[in-house]
Amino acid sequence: MRNLGKIVLAAALATGLTACGSSDQASPGSTGGVTIGKTTTTTTASNLPACTVDQIPIGGQAGAKPTITVPDTCSPPKELLSKDLVVGTGKDVTAGVTMQTHYVLVTWSDKVELDNSWDRGETYPLQNVGKAGVIDGWNEGVIGMKEGGRRLLVIPPDKGYGQGGNGVKPNETLVFVVDAVAVS
């Protein structure tokens, strides 16, 4: 019996030392984890709460190319989100208007700037807003802006490129900052 007690005590001490050890590494692809004994608890993007527009930092001054930082602390939202970063003072963007835009696009999964109009030095024309030849997220997301405004758009895959296209991965969430340069 005394040997059984020593074995149980040794096992308890070994488990305790393992739990206090320095192997606090999470599995690949996770955002954090803790190893306790032989059980690892991880937090992946899929079990994080969905981001809000207020959790996505945007840098840069109005009238200049913005920067977009996709956070690691939340998952991509499932619905179209928008936020006016600068409220314009000019004409309203309504269905059917033509507008000149500047934009920056960052893809959620890899946090990489995929495209922007600023580096080309010319605005992007958007004709017949609401039915323009662009993704639904833009057609819906720019309505309500005013000329001179800047808006953050977070576009889920079903309002973006869905299964992929234009160099975008399948089921990618898109993050745009759009400037309404001119509205006519």
Side-chain angles (χ1 to χ4, degrees), residues 37-72:
K38 294 190 181 223
T39 303
T40 300
T41 304
T42 60
T43 305
T44 62
S46 63
N47 24 23
L48 293 172
C51 279
T52 66
V53 288
D54 293 327
Q55 292 174 288
I56 302 170
I58 306 299
Q61 300 296 316
K65 181 181 174 185
T67 59
I68 301 169
T69 304
V70 175
D72 291 325

Side-chain angles (χ1 to χ4, degrees), residues 88-173:
T89 57
K91 296 178 185 174
D92 291 336
V93 177
T94 59
V97 302
T98 295
M99 65 187 291
Q100 297 294 322
T101 67
H102 264 307
Y103 68 90
V104 172
L105 165 61
V106 171
T107 50
W108 190 281
S109 68
D110 55 12
K111 301 168 180 33
V112 171
E113 182 181 296
L114 187 64
D115 190 21
N116 80 83
S117 62
W118 293 93
D119 291 348
R120 289 190 293 275
E122 56 187 48
T123 58
Y124 178 78
L126 191 60
Q127 299 174 343
N128 195 17
V129 169
K131 294 182 180 181
V134 293
I135 58 176
D136 290 343
W138 260 54
N139 273 313
E140 296 173 25
V142 298
I143 290 179
M145 291 183 75
K146 290 183 175 283
E147 186 176 276
R150 173 173 278 186
R151 183 172 282 181
L152 169 63
L153 296 176
V154 183
I155 302 175
D158 65 328
K159 294 193 183 285
Y161 292 105
Q163 290 301 311
N166 289 351
V168 176
K169 295 177 187 175
N171 298 312
E172 182 68 70
T173 297

